[in-house]
Amino acid sequence: MKKLEYLNLALNNITKIENLEGCESLNKLDLTVNFVDDLLSVESLTGNYNLRELFLTGNPCTEYEGYRDFVIATLPQLESLDGQTISRTERILATQVLEANRWKIGIQQREYIKREEIRRSQDSNVKMERLSDESEYDSEEEKNFWKTKCDNTPETRVKITKHILKSREKKNPSEKKEPQKERRLFHENGKAFNINEAKLDFKFVEDETNNNLILDLSIYKFMDSSLLSVDVQPLYVRVLVRNKFFQLSLWDEVCPDRSTAQRSATTGHLVITMPKAKECLTRPATDKTANKKETPKEERKEDKPELLEVKEDQQPMAVLHRITEKSDKVQRKVDESERIVKCDEYDDNFVDNPDVPPLIYA
């Protein structure tokens, strides 16, 4: 848990500080009212260079002589201990007597552990005490249980907790947890149910271009990927999110062996791509711009006719004059076609037949 900044472990049965070296960002540690008797275990926090606040109030180690000076000198990164700010002068003085305090605390620690072992072996009957009104007790047995004096030990806390749970079951037997119902994932006909136990947002679309079915599942951003399990079958897809099922029935058969699952590092979304088993022939999308770039210039000239345009530097009257001359020639040919064509040179046997239509000049 490298990004953990605040850890509250107050009111537990902790006897030793350990296994917090990996919490690199730890800024505040609260161990109030525990059973930490091994004060030398504080040295395991020297690697937590971001630690600024530490609370050990209510632990047996706070009664050792030189407790505060030893913790301040051992953890130079601390700014506050048990809610009290550490001054610069206090840190310098504590560093000067660090070795002496360490030797003293080691002796006191061993003596305390021996005393506790002797006391626990002699006092087998755990005595307890509870500050409350007598009107709260339901029976004489309950009253005697809470009025009996006891020591503040981990064993006492465990026994008190068990007694509280039993008393709650007697008062409210209906509050017992009902056994969880068996999960039904399939219908009697074999069709998969649509299930969303984790209540996650999702998006299910069909990619017709690539012939795929795509499921976009909004997984929690900071959830580790090891807590996810993906199972793709021909007619359904199932995702196990922290022991909660997300199952979706598919309207078309897919190929499980070609399916892929990818997770975004920024949003945490899980994208499952499932190719369809039946291939569908689709016309690929054409890009007009790309076709123009790939087509050679000669082919483009043949495909599209070029339009004649009059440029600005040319005179439009010259074009009009040429069109007029062409129309005059056509009209002259039509007039001449109405006449009878006479040949200057012809054979002696030539006879001009008036029934023959006149020749038209090409």
Side-chain angles (χ1 to χ4, degrees):
M1 303 177 69
K2 294 183 178 181
K3 297 183 179 180
L4 181 65
E5 298 182 1
Y6 173 40
L7 179 59
N8 189 342
L9 297 173
L11 297 171
N12 280 282
N13 293 341
I14 298 173
T15 58
K16 186 178 181 180
I17 304 173
E18 58 184 353
N19 300 327
L20 294 176
E21 295 84 356
C23 302
E24 299 177 359
S25 304
L26 188 62
N27 183 268
K28 182 178 178 180
L29 177 61
D30 191 350
L31 295 170
T32 304
V33 190
N34 276 276
F35 299 96
V36 179
D37 52 15
D38 188 358
L39 185 59
L40 298 179
S41 62
V42 174
E43 296 176 346
S44 64
L45 299 175
T46 54
N48 301 90
Y49 49 86
N50 288 316
L51 187 62
R52 298 294 179 266
E53 298 181 60
L54 178 62
F55 291 87
L56 291 171
T57 307
N59 288 274
C61 64
T62 58
E63 300 176 2
Y64 298 163
E65 183 182 354
Y67 147 75
R68 183 173 175 84
D69 291 341
F70 174 76
V71 177
I72 292 173
T74 305
L75 304 176
Q77 71 271 30
L78 277 185
E79 297 178 356
S80 173
L81 178 61
D82 296 333
Q84 298 180 4
T85 305
I86 302 172
S87 62
R88 184 177 180 182
T89 304
E90 188 178 10
R91 191 183 301 279
I92 294 173
L93 295 175
T95 305
Q96 294 175 355
V97 294
L98 174 61
E99 294 300 328
N101 281 336
R102 195 177 190 283
W103 180 73
K104 290 180 182 179
I105 288 171
I107 296 175
Q108 298 177 69
Q109 183 172 297
R110 289 191 291 271
E111 291 178 354
Y112 176 81
I113 294 173
K114 288 181 180 179
R115 288 199 306 268
E116 285 297 308
E117 290 177 353
I118 295 172
R119 183 188 60 77
R120 292 176 184 177
S121 61
Q122 292 177 352
D123 189 9
S124 58
N125 297 324
V126 180
K127 300 179 180 180
M128 305 176 196
E129 181 181 10
R130 182 186 181 190
L131 299 176
S132 61
D133 298 333
E134 294 184 2
S135 58
E136 296 182 4
Y137 305 131
D138 297 334
S139 62
E140 191 68 23
E141 182 182 357
E142 188 80 7
K143 179 180 179 181
N144 295 333
F145 180 84
W146 292 113
K147 285 297 181 180
T148 307
K149 293 184 179 181
C150 67
D151 294 324
N152 186 21
T153 60
E155 294 80 8
T156 304
R157 287 191 183 177
V158 172
K159 193 166 185 178
I160 290 174
T161 304
K162 291 181 178 179
H163 182 80
I164 291 173
L165 293 175
K166 288 181 179 179
S167 60
R168 286 179 181 176
E169 291 178 0
K170 291 179 181 179
K171 291 180 181 179
N172 301 315
S174 61
E175 292 184 359
K176 293 182 180 179
K177 293 183 178 180
E178 298 180 357
Q180 292 184 354
K181 296 181 180 179
E182 295 183 1
R183 291 170 173 170
R184 291 190 60 192
L185 303 178
F186 299 94
H187 195 266
E188 295 177 355
N189 58 7
K191 186 177 180 181
F193 286 125
N194 292 330
I195 303 173
N196 190 359
E197 292 180 350
K199 298 181 180 180
L200 300 172
D201 295 333
F202 67 95
K203 186 178 180 182
F204 189 49
V205 296
E206 181 178 4
D207 185 4
E208 296 181 355
T209 305
N210 299 318
N211 199 31
N212 294 333
L213 296 179
I214 300 176
L215 173 62
D216 187 350
L217 193 59
S218 301
I219 301 295
Y220 310 113
K221 181 177 180 181
F222 297 104
M223 178 178 285
D224 192 79
S225 298
S226 61
L227 300 175
L228 304 176
S229 177
V230 181
D231 182 18
V232 179
Q233 296 296 331
L235 295 177
Y236 69 89
V237 56
R238 182 189 301 162
V239 182
L240 190 61
V241 184
R242 206 181 231 177
N243 297 327
K244 293 184 178 180
F245 281 101
F246 176 90
Q247 183 171 281
L248 196 62
S249 179
L250 306 177
W251 62 71
D252 204 348
E253 187 176 354
V254 299
C255 297
D257 54 342
R258 292 167 49 198
S259 301
T260 59
Q262 296 178 337
R263 192 176 181 198
S264 174
T266 55
T267 62
H269 284 215
L270 179 67
V271 180
I272 304 174
T273 306
M274 299 166 284
K276 292 183 181 180
K278 298 178 182 178
E279 296 185 0
C280 180
L281 298 177
T282 57
R283 185 176 181 179
T286 56
D287 189 357
K288 296 181 179 180
T289 308
N291 291 342
K292 285 184 179 179
K293 293 181 180 180
E294 295 176 358
T295 307
K297 293 183 178 180
E298 298 178 356
E299 295 181 1
R300 284 186 294 175
K301 288 182 179 180
E302 295 177 0
D303 295 343
K304 296 183 179 180
E306 294 184 359
L307 301 178
L308 297 178
E309 297 181 357
V310 180
K311 298 182 180 180
E312 296 181 356
D313 56 346
Q314 295 179 351
Q315 296 181 0
M317 293 301 296
V319 178
L320 180 62
H321 180 66
R322 293 176 184 176
I323 295 174
T324 306
E325 290 180 354
K326 187 175 181 180
S327 61
D328 293 343
K329 291 181 180 179
V330 173
Q331 185 66 27
R332 192 180 304 113
K333 288 183 179 181
V334 172
D335 296 341
E336 291 178 355
S337 63
E338 297 178 356
R339 304 175 184 175
I340 299 173
V341 180
K342 296 182 180 180
C343 299
D344 296 336
E345 296 178 0
Y346 51 86
D347 297 338
D348 297 338
N349 298 326
F350 174 76
V351 178
D352 188 6
N353 190 354
D355 296 333
V356 177
L359 297 176
I360 299 175
Y361 291 101

